[in-house]
């Protein structure tokens, strides 16, 4: 035991009692029931006092909540104190990091978790040292791959509170990731991160009580320490500082007690997991603490914004910048990631804060998306400069050859086809033909100068003027506009031609013929392909058809029934009836926990149903299913029921099949005019399920049909899924994190489209004993207004979802990206260009980013229970494995631009590649 690492304050205390290591800390929610800046004002005051006391008294130790965000937020206001803070960090008395922020592990991507840890450790090391403890004190459960993520970053200890199952009866257990990586994990029993907060309460009147309190603490904690060792006493609470005279209090306790940081405490602990009870996978048990599962489904707009921003930055902006941009866009990408990491906080993306907090979180998410979009625009604009006018550049964000639909605005009014820059025909479906006469009206000559003011530069009616003419014989001014014009234009020439005009003039604005089309484009892995007008019209090998209320693409047949649900049939004879049933129920809970009223009223039958045709193929066929319901207008807390007053609500579900896709796309839209309710989409399962599967953060986890309870919270078996949720031979592919539940004894899956509630936390929640926060009204969390949710339904064979489901989810989330060319119209179209291919059974790429000096970094995971091999192909000359922090490891053999990498089941691997 290295006593010099902590402040030894009781050399003459009893030695027969266990030593108590007091860790002074604060748990700092960056934003919650107050918005960020109001909490930061408190943070600055708290940190001023902590730094001053630590400098004045060398006995002091302090742990800053495992996150660097609090340090950065403080130093932004107090930059002059940076060196003072750094000195305390270097001295080992102030523990900072390893995270940038305390994230919600289920409401962000796995890549977001890695970047969070990477940024936090780098920022902490800039101050002197990162706390090498995976401190996760308040997350609402923990994802399965956290042990592997921590070990890959060089961290050997974890420390958790919520989600630990009942079978853990000791303070330490071996937490094992799906790949078998185990990490020694300390459970924080008897109160979590504040288990010693009451030991020093009311000290002015209770100094003499401290020995007794310490003895009570030791007795309560002792049963968790069968192996002996010092007892970890976490002295801290939300947004509070330790007592100013804490060191004196500890020094006069009369028991063996010392102050230390969390880093200091774990430096004395053996990291071995030998002999410890083992827990594999995610921690989502309700047995020992609330895990507050309702945060998955509250404020759904935040989840949608988060998913969209993460996808845009991870899978579009970074690969484009890494492979197809000659300059450096890293500062923009860093800013985007900073925003994404900030909003992953367990009181931010969760939506369990005030309305003002939610608005700020949404703004940061939008900013991250804007930054990602800006980088995409930057790179595609540079590449599209070599693509002729009228043609399009298409980027494939997936690391394998794929065919997918892109929606393009192309010139022409007939049935002319499209082809790639390599001359391959591209199947096309015309969706809309734009009008060619945009305006045709007669005006007095005196109005012509005002009309010409409508021209902005050369833009008129949203298009560019390519030609114009003035006919004085019939007093006609004609503008010809097109999407992008290359001819010279000067509005002064038009004014000069109209000089002296009198009488009445006809003004016409004529557009070149244009069509909006769906094009089925085959694109190389992470590569670029040009699509241009030309060649004969082409059709897909297996066209999609619409016949009345039925859609068919050869892989699925979807028939709309009289009640508005869909009947699915596969070529193999699997039939699923009742897909897409909408059920509305009451919710008198809060942002943390769903709680239906005792006298709930479920509404699942529509008042009316109609089906409207949208597209009839051959590439995409779609129908709009329009159902009207009468939903109760609100909840009635006094009666513990739903209101008698009702609202008419129209739910439009667009059902769409595309060529070559083995799944049915659904997009559900409705205007939420009601309060205090939950809306779910139900789909029966082809066969009864005994468990469910969900793709999350670097893993596919299997879950039972029930949840373990034991604390004061109803253990609802509602779970988060990121890429897909699957059970009983049916997968639901998702655009963002969504709550699901397998109901009806394993015969049906329900997906939450929205939970509409009015309080941050209710002091009386039927499904939770304790308040989870202040009883603060949150009218914004009723989520009124238009709600739109997209998902897809895919039957599959076997018990577990296989590679076909993983691949389908990947392609569903990541559409091909198109950008209009603006090079010379007569320039040749560039040929297709390959990026980097990453393939292999069960191998999924999670990121590909620039790393400077010609290097790119790829991260992948083996989403399979069997060993597999990743094959990387591209224009690279060197390859080497790295850890999650980018530190080099074993080099890989590269032959003809190909490298292979053997992977364990569920292994996360990071590889650096030097491009030619």
């Amino acid at each position: 035991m290295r006593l010099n690492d902590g402040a030894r304050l009781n050399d003459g205390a009893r030695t027969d009692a266990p030593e108590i290591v007091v860790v002074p800390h604060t748990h700092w929610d960056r934003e919650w029931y107050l918005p960020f800046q109001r909490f930061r004002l408190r943070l600055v005051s708290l940190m001023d006092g902590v730094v001053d006391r630590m400098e004045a008294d060398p006995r002091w130790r302090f742990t800053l909540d495992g996150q660097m965000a609090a340090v950065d937020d403080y130093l932004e206001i107090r930059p002059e104190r940076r060196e003072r803070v750094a000195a305390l960090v270097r001295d080992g008395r102030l523990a900072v990091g390893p995270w940038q922020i305390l994230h919600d592990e289920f409401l962000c991507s796995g890549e977001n978790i890695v970047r969070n840890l990477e940024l936090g450790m780098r920022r902490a090391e800039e101050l002197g040292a990162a706390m090498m403890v995976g401190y996760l004190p308040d997350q609402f459960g923990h994802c399965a791959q956290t042990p592997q993520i921590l070990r890959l970053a060089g961290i050997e200890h974890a420390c958790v509170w919520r989600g630990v199952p009942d079978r853990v009866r000791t303070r330490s257990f071996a937490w094992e990731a799906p790949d078998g990586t185990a990490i020694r994990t300390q459970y924080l029993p008897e109160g979590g991160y504040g288990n010693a907060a009451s030991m020093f309460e009311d000290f002015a009147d209770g100094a003499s009580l401290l020995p007794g309190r310490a003895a009570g603490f030791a007795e309560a904690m002792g049963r968790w320490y069968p192996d002996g060792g010092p007892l970890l006493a976490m002295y801290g609470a939300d947004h509070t500082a330790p007592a100013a005279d804490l060191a004196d209090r500890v020094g006069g306790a009369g028991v063996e007690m010392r102050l230390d940081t969390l880093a200091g405490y774990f430096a004395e602990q053996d990291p071995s997991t030998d002999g410890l009870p083992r827990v594999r996978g995610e921690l989502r048990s309700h047995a020992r603490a609330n895990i507050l599962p309702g945060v998955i489904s509250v404020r759904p707009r935040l989840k949608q914004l988060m998913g969209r921003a993460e996808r845009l930055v991870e899978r579009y902006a970074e690969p484009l910048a890494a492979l197809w941009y000659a300059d450096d866009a890293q500062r923009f990408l860093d800013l985007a990631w900073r925003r994404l990491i900030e909003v992953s906080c367990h009181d931010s993306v969760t939506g369990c804060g005030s309305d003002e907090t939610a608005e700020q979180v949404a703004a940061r998410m939008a900013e991250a998306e804007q930054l990602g979009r800006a980088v995409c625009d930057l790179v595609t604009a540079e590449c599209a400069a070599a693509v002729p006018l009228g043609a399009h550049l298409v980027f494939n964000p997936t690391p394998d050859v794929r065919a997918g639909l892109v929606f393009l605005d192309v010139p022409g009014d007939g049935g002319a086809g499209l082809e790639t820059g390599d001359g391959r025909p591209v199947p096309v479906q015309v969706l809309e033909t734009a009008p060619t006469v945009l305006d045709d009206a007669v005006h007095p000559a005196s109005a012509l100068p005002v009309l010409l003011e409508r021209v902005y530069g050369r833009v008129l009616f949203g298009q560019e003027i390519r030609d114009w003419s003035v006919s004085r014989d019939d007093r006609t001014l004609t503008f010809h506009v097109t999407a992008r014009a290359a001819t010279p234009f000067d509005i002064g020439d038009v004014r000069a031609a109209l000089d002296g005009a009198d009488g009445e003039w006809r003004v016409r604005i004529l557009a070149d013929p244009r069509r909006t089309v769906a094009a089925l484009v085959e694109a190389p892995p992470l590569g670029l392909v040009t699509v241009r007008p030309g060649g004969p019209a082409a059709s897909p090998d297996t066209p999609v058809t619409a016949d009345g209320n039925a859609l068919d693409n050869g892989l699925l047949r979807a028939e709309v029934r009289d009640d508005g649900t869909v009947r699915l049939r596969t070529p193999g004879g699997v039939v699923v009836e009742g897909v897409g049933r909408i059920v509305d129920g009451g919710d008198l809970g809060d942002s943390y926990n769903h709680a239906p009223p005792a006298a709930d009223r479920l509404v699942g039958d529509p008042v009316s149903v109609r089906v409207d045709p949208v597209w009839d193929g051959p590439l995409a066929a779609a129908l709009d299913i329009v159902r009207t319901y009468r939903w109760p207008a609100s909840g009635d807390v006094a009666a513990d029921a739903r209101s008698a007053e009702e609202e008419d609500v129209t739910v439009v579900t667009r059902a769409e099949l595309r060529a070559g896709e083995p799944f049915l796309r659904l997009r559900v839209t409705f205007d939420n005019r009601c309060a205090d309710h939950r809306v779910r989409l139900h789909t029966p399962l082809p066969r009864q399920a005994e468990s469910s599967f969900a793709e999350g953060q670097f893993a596919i986890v299997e879950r039972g049909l029930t949840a373990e309870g034991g604390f004061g919270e109803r253990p609802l078996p509602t779970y988060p899924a990121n890429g897909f949720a699957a059970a009983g031979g049916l997968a639901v592919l998702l655009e963002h994190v969504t709550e699901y539940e397998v109901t009806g004894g394993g015969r049906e899956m329900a997906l939450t489209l929205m939970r509409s509630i009015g309080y941050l936390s209710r002091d009386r929640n039927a499904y939770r004993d304790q308040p989870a926060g202040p009883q603060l009204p949150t009218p914004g969390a009723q989520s009124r207004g238009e709600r739109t949710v997209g998902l897809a339904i895919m039957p599959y064979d076997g018990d577990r979802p296989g590679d076909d489901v993983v691949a389908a989810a990947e392609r569903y989330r990541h559409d091909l990206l198109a950008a209009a060319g603006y090079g010379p119209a007569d320039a040749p179209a560039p040929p297709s260009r390959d990026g980097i291919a990453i393939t292999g059974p069960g191998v999924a790429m999670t990121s590909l980013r620039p790393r400077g000096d010609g290097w790119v970094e790829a991260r992948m995971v083996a989403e399979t229970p069997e060993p597999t091999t990743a094959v990387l192909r591209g224009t690279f000359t060197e390859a080497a494995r790295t850890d999650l922090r980018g530190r080099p490891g074993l080099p890989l053999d590269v032959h003809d631009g190909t490298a292979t990498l053997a992977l364990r089941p569920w292994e996360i691997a990071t590889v650096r590649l030097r491009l030619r």
Side-chain angles (χ1 to χ4, degrees):
M1 186 175 294
R2 297 180 296 166
L3 300 182
N4 59 322
D5 283 350
R8 171 69 69 188
L9 302 172
N10 280 285
D11 292 337
R14 292 172 50 194
T15 58
D16 58 337
E19 179 188 34
I20 298 175
V21 177
V22 179
V23 175
H25 74 98
T26 184
H27 176 58
W28 200 264
D29 300 300
R30 192 170 189 258
E31 54 199 354
W32 182 21
Y33 59 84
L34 293 180
F36 162 58
Q37 296 295 358
R38 292 179 68 185
F39 267 141
R40 174 151 75 170
L41 194 69
R42 298 183 182 184
L43 172 69
V44 171
S45 176
L46 180 149
M47 285 296 296
D48 282 347
V50 167
V51 171
D52 290 346
R53 283 191 290 274
M54 294 185 76
E55 290 179 332
D57 187 344
R59 297 175 297 173
W60 260 86
R61 304 288 188 273
F62 195 72
T63 298
L64 201 49
D65 208 26
Q67 55 177 333
M68 276 299 298
V71 184
D72 290 342
D73 294 341
Y74 174 65
L75 293 180
E76 188 175 21
I77 303 300
R78 296 277 194 263
E80 72 280 3
R81 287 195 164 211
R82 186 184 189 281
E83 181 51 36
R84 295 169 64 183
V85 171
L88 294 170
V89 173
R90 290 193 298 267
D91 198 34
R93 295 170 57 212
L94 177 62
V96 297
W99 303 102
Q100 180 64 24
I101 206 161
L102 294 180
H103 53 297
D104 185 282
E105 296 179 36
F106 296 97
L107 283 171
C108 64
S109 68
E111 195 60 32
N112 198 329
I113 296 173
V114 170
R115 305 300 179 91
N116 184 352
L117 189 56
E118 177 187 87
L119 177 60
M121 296 184 78
R122 184 175 72 246
R123 294 286 299 117
E125 288 169 352
E126 289 170 1
L127 286 179
M131 179 174 74
M132 297 300 284
V133 178
Y135 185 47
L136 302 161
D138 197 30
Q139 278 86 341
F140 308 150
H142 305 281
C143 69
Q145 289 281 32
T146 297
Q148 186 180 179
I149 292 171
L150 292 174
R151 288 296 295 269
L152 286 171
I155 294 175
E156 297 182 312
H157 293 276
C159 186
V160 302
W161 174 32
R162 303 184 193 268
V164 175
D166 180 71
R167 67 180 180 276
V168 172
R169 301 300 176 94
T170 62
R171 54 104 176 207
S172 294
F173 64 95
W175 184 12
E176 189 176 292
D179 76 315
T181 298
I183 188 169
R184 189 180 185 97
T185 303
Q186 176 122 354
Y187 168 51
L188 296 173
E190 310 295 335
Y193 59 82
N195 62 13
S198 62
M199 193 185 303
F200 302 98
E201 284 182 352
D202 302 320
F203 202 78
D205 299 323
S208 62
L209 300 178
L210 182 55
R213 290 175 178 174
F217 176 85
E219 181 179 359
M221 296 292 287
R223 66 188 181 93
W224 296 96
Y225 286 71
D227 55 346
L231 307 181
L232 177 59
M234 300 296 292
Y235 172 50
D238 296 356
H239 309 110
T240 60
D245 60 345
L246 176 64
D248 293 333
R249 296 183 187 188
V250 171
V255 297
E256 189 174 7
M257 184 182 295
R258 64 184 171 96
L259 296 180
D260 209 340
T261 64
L262 200 61
Y265 174 83
F266 278 102
E268 301 171 356
Q269 306 299 307
D270 182 0
S272 171
T273 60
D274 294 344
L276 295 178
R278 303 183 82 80
V279 177
R280 187 178 179 88
E282 64 183 6
L283 305 180
R284 286 195 62 85
S285 171
H286 305 252
R288 303 199 179 281
N290 295 334
I291 64 168
L292 312 171
V295 299
I296 302 298
S297 51
V298 75
R299 299 191 194 266
R301 179 170 175 264
L302 292 184
K303 283 64 174 177
Q304 290 175 311
L305 288 172
M306 184 69 157
R308 195 165 65 215
E310 284 181 329
R311 285 197 308 275
L312 191 60
V313 174
E314 292 174 12
R315 298 302 303 273
Y316 293 88
E318 283 195 326
L320 277 167
L323 299 175
W324 303 112
Y325 190 53
D327 292 323
D328 185 4
Q330 193 59 50
R331 292 297 294 274
F332 292 102
L333 296 171
D334 289 345
L335 282 171
W337 272 113
R338 192 66 177 256
R339 298 295 179 268
L340 287 172
I341 291 166
E342 286 175 354
V343 297
S344 73
C345 181
H346 67 289
D347 291 308
S348 299
V349 64
T350 47
C352 56
S354 66
D355 285 348
E356 191 173 6
T357 294
E359 291 169 1
Q360 291 182 324
V361 170
R364 290 193 212 107
M365 291 174 175
E367 190 175 349
E369 182 179 357
Q370 291 159 13
L371 286 161
R373 181 73 63 186
V375 172
C376 290
D377 292 344
L378 183 71
V379 180
T380 56
E382 181 177 277
C383 296
V387 174
L389 281 171
H392 288 79
L393 180 77
V394 176
F395 170 65
N396 174 12
T398 51
D400 197 3
V401 177
R402 65 175 286 194
L405 286 192
V406 289
F407 297 88
L408 308 175
D409 182 34
V410 299
D413 57 358
L418 298 179
E419 62 183 10
T420 68
D422 308 299
R424 289 178 284 115
V426 175
V428 173
Q429 175 182 336
V430 178
L431 304 178
E432 183 180 12
T433 300
T436 54
V437 179
L438 304 184
D439 195 23
D440 190 345
V442 176
H443 305 272
S446 60
L448 292 178
V450 176
L451 293 176
L452 294 182
E453 292 297 326
R454 295 177 182 173
V455 179
Y456 183 74
R458 69 181 305 155
V459 175
L460 182 60
F461 277 55
Q463 300 189 52
E464 295 185 358
I465 297 170
R466 67 164 176 80
D467 193 11
W468 60 275
S469 63
V470 170
S471 172
R472 289 185 175 270
D473 293 340
D474 56 4
R475 292 192 174 94
T476 299
L477 167 63
T478 303
F479 288 104
H480 292 275
V481 298
T482 190
R484 191 181 293 268
T487 55
F489 173 77
D490 187 342
I491 191 65
D493 295 339
V494 182
R495 291 193 178 101
L498 292 171
D499 186 41
D502 57 5
E504 291 190 332
W505 279 71
R506 182 185 183 189
V507 179
R508 297 187 304 162
I509 302 171
L510 307 179
D512 289 344
R514 301 197 69 82
R515 300 165 292 153
T516 300
V517 304
L520 184 60
V521 179
E522 184 177 287
L526 292 172
L528 304 174
V529 60
T530 302
V531 177
R532 64 182 179 187
S539 298
D541 295 336
T542 304
V544 188
T545 61
D547 181 12
N549 287 358
L551 309 172
D552 198 318
N553 70 351
L555 299 174
L556 271 182
R557 181 174 177 81
E559 301 174 9
V560 182
R561 317 300 274 180
D562 291 343
D563 63 354
T565 64
V566 178
R567 179 180 190 259
L568 285 182
R569 177 188 289 274
T570 70
V574 175
V575 176
V576 188
E577 293 276 7
V579 172
R581 183 167 61 96
I582 303 294
V583 179
D584 175 70
D587 194 339
L588 297 182
D590 50 38
S591 63
Y592 292 101
N593 294 83
H594 165 70
D600 199 5
R601 180 155 55 104
L602 300 180
V603 180
D605 296 327
V607 175
S608 64
V609 179
R610 77 170 191 270
V611 179
D612 296 335
V614 180
W615 301 322
D616 59 2
L619 299 182
L623 303 167
D624 278 348
I625 306 166
V626 184
R627 289 172 281 186
T628 302
Y629 299 85
R630 290 194 62 79
W631 290 348
S634 63
D636 187 336
V637 175
D640 204 3
R642 305 187 75 182
S643 68
E645 180 186 357
E646 296 180 332
E647 291 277 1
D648 287 335
V649 179
T650 298
V651 179
V652 179
T653 304
R654 175 159 295 185
E656 178 187 351
L657 284 179
R658 296 182 180 180
E661 291 185 346
F663 48 82
L664 173 71
R665 295 171 178 258
L666 297 178
R667 186 158 295 276
V668 182
T669 302
F670 59 93
D671 181 7
N672 179 37
R673 302 163 62 188
C674 305
D676 311 318
H677 65 131
R678 179 177 69 173
V679 183
R680 300 209 288 186
L681 181 144
H682 289 246
T683 177
L685 303 176
R687 52 187 178 274
Q688 186 173 356
E690 297 181 356
S691 63
S692 69
F693 301 86
E695 186 182 47
Q697 294 69 26
F698 299 117
I700 299 170
V701 295
E702 183 175 5
R703 297 164 173 147
L705 303 187
T706 60
E708 182 181 57
F711 197 67
E713 181 178 55
R714 184 74 64 93
L716 295 180
T718 54
Y719 297 108
N722 197 322
F724 63 81
L730 192 82
V732 181
L733 315 182
L734 304 169
E735 294 181 352
H736 54 82
V737 178
T738 300
E739 176 188 273
Y740 77 95
E741 180 182 3
V742 176
T743 64
R747 293 178 173 83
E748 190 171 57
M749 184 184 294
L751 295 105
T752 305
L753 304 182
M754 184 190 68
R755 267 198 331 115
S756 173
I757 53 90
Y759 281 88
L760 185 151
S761 171
R762 289 186 186 269
D763 290 346
R764 297 182 62 184
N765 183 311
Y767 277 25
R768 188 189 65 242
D769 289 348
Q770 303 171 343
Q775 185 164 291
L776 178 71
T778 54
Q782 296 287 5
S783 297
R784 294 182 183 274
E786 185 173 284
R787 302 288 103 194
T788 299
V789 180
L791 48 84
I793 310 295
M794 177 180 174
Y796 64 88
D797 297 327
D799 296 328
R800 299 179 59 94
D803 291 353
D804 55 340
V805 175
V806 174
E810 162 85 357
R811 296 186 178 199
Y812 173 69
R813 288 196 305 273
H814 303 112
D815 285 332
L816 300 178
L817 177 68
Y822 62 95
D826 56 355
S832 300
R833 289 176 283 173
D834 286 13
I836 291 176
I838 302 175
T839 58
V843 176
M845 186 192 82
T846 65
S847 76
L848 189 135
R849 59 171 165 166
R851 295 302 271 175
D853 297 327
W855 290 91
V856 300
E857 179 187 271
R859 188 152 26 248
M860 63 213 77
V861 60
E863 288 195 344
T864 170
E866 303 295 331
T868 188
T869 298
V871 180
L872 293 81
R873 295 186 179 90
T875 56
F876 54 87
T877 57
E878 298 178 54
R881 288 200 67 158
T882 74
D883 65 8
L884 285 189
R885 303 181 63 192
R887 295 176 296 194
L890 293 175
L892 303 178
D893 291 332
V894 178
H895 298 286
D896 297 325
T898 301
T900 60
L901 184 64
L903 298 174
R904 302 187 307 274
W906 312 109
E907 182 180 3
I908 303 167
T910 307
V911 176
R912 283 204 178 182
L913 308 168
R914 182 183 284 279
L915 302 181
R916 288 199 184 96

